[in-house]
Amino acid sequence: MSVTIAISGKGGTGKSTIAALVIRWLNNRGQTSVLAVDADANSNLNDLLGIGPVEAIGTIREEMKEKVNNLPGGMTKQQFLENKIHRSLVETRNFDLVAMGRPEGPGCYCYANNLLRDVLRNLSDNYQYVVIDNEAGMEHLSRRTTQQVDFLLIVTDPSVRGVQTAGRISRLLKELDTRVGHKYLVVNRARGELSPAVREQMAEEGLELLAVLPEDDAVLSQDAEGKPAYEIPAVSAICRAMDECLSRLLAG
Ligand SMILES: Nc1ncnc2c1ncn2[C@@H]1O[C@H](COP(=O)(O)OP(=O)(O)OP(=O)(O)O)[C@@H](O)[C@H]1O
Ligand SMILES: [Mg+2]
């Protein structure tokens, strides 16, 4: 069974950066059975991981819609999709990456989506760790990448309003059919201690704090130079903070 870590939160809070650093942390511990799932339609996880463009599954699904009545030589739809997904999977020495592409409209539970979900679930079974970088909003998590999520990290900035939004995401999740083992708040880009108001808001929202990650110039300069977050120096404050919290989270 794989361990699934999903990262969600409001736009621009650092989800993709954190996803890349989780993957890096696993790799640095010799864990290379890792599937990275880019569930953001405006995917850029590949950039943060330092690899080239990825063909999104979304385009594959479009293709399947067109060809559904004319599949090559006796192939089932499931086989066709599985085949395609395996071809779009980018394999590296340290991890594999798959990108989900564009979301469907709300309320779409079409056949292709369900198939896609099954295929992703099957694919996930081949890995020890699955790390899902979500886009802002929960549709992906609920409908397209639905599988057991062991750890959901909700990322926020260190503001009262940010924590309120994280609380809303957390409640929304409860209403959706997503199965989540443990849910944690990750406060990112903190400058010093969290304010008492932020801590109060966390308590009010019933959010459990996993980590406070610092605002770090190493992240900014890496970004400014167009270099992948995956390669941020291990001595940087953010990497040390990630190391501390992931050791706790994934211990044993
Ligand atoms: N701890 C940090 N210190 C400094 N800069 C950071 C930190 N975390 C993230 N950033 C910067 O914040 C910006 C947004 O980060 P990122 O793209 O990871 O967020 P996101 O939540 O994935 O955004 P989106 O919702 O657009 O997908 C980037 O420029 C990134 O370099
Ligand atoms: Mg992102």
Side-chain angles (χ1 to χ4, degrees):
M1 272 302 282
S2 48
V3 174
T4 300
I5 304 158
I7 297 138
S8 64
K10 204 171 69 170
T13 48
K15 298 179 291 297
S16 301
T17 302
I18 290 169
L21 292 177
V22 169
I23 293 162
R24 167 214 166 97
W25 185 86
L26 289 167
N27 290 165
N28 283 351
R29 260 140 210 85
Q31 181 54 262
T32 56
S33 177
V34 179
L35 176 65
V37 179
D38 189 345
D40 191 338
N42 304 306
S43 334
N44 68 342
L45 185 60
N46 60 307
D47 290 335
L48 295 183
L49 291 170
I51 59 177
V54 183
E55 192 201 350
I57 292 176
T59 59
I60 296 170
R61 188 174 30 196
E62 293 311 308
E63 190 184 332
M64 192 177 96
K65 263 189 215 151
E66 283 163 26
K67 292 192 180 160
V68 78
N69 293 318
N70 193 18
L71 294 178
M75 243 188 195
T76 66
K77 289 170 197 170
Q78 170 119 15
Q79 282 168 336
F80 177 78
L81 199 57
E82 255 166 29
N83 213 313
K84 284 285 184 183
I85 288 175
H86 280 109
R87 286 211 324 242
S88 78
L89 189 72
V90 173
E91 300 182 5
T92 78
R93 208 155 44 89
N94 293 316
F95 55 82
D96 294 354
L97 171 66
V98 63
M100 302 294 292
R102 219 144 276 292
E104 305 278 324
C108 175
Y109 291 95
C110 59
Y111 184 59
N113 254 358
N114 290 338
L115 261 186
L116 179 59
R117 215 153 59 179
D118 292 343
V119 171
L120 246 192
R121 201 171 324 171
N122 290 343
L123 182 65
S124 298
D125 284 343
N126 300 328
Y127 298 87
Q128 301 235 310
Y129 288 91
V130 179
V131 179
I132 305 175
D133 176 23
N134 285 285
E135 69 179 349
M138 297 313 299
E139 287 84 353
H140 285 283
L141 195 60
S142 62
R143 300 210 177 104
R144 299 201 302 141
T145 53
T146 298
Q147 55 191 12
Q148 179 69 39
V149 170
D150 298 286
F151 302 108
L152 176 76
L153 313 186
I154 305 176
V155 185
T156 180
D157 56 29
S159 71
V160 169
R161 245 187 294 280
V163 174
Q164 281 167 348
T165 305
R168 200 157 43 74
I169 291 172
S170 173
R171 284 193 297 280
L172 194 63
L173 261 177
K174 243 184 245 165
E175 290 162 17
L176 297 169
D177 61 355
T178 309
R179 288 157 297 160
V180 175
H182 303 276
K183 224 171 12 182
Y184 295 102
L185 184 71
V186 173
V187 178
N188 188 26
R189 311 195 69 163
R191 297 168 182 273
E193 296 285 303
L194 295 185
S195 73
V198 163
R199 291 206 175 265
E200 269 167 38
Q201 195 62 42
M202 276 165 32
E204 193 163 311
E205 305 286 350
L207 292 166
E208 188 177 344
L209 182 67
L210 175 70
V212 180
L213 305 176
E215 170 78 18
D216 188 343
D217 284 345
V219 181
L220 287 176
S221 61
Q222 198 78 356
D223 201 27
E225 289 170 35
K227 291 186 189 158
Y230 185 88
E231 288 168 13
I232 289 171
V235 292
S236 62
I238 191 151
C239 285
R240 279 186 282 130
M242 289 292 293
D243 185 28
E244 192 279 321
C245 76
L246 291 175
S247 303
R248 251 188 301 125
L249 189 71
L250 301 175

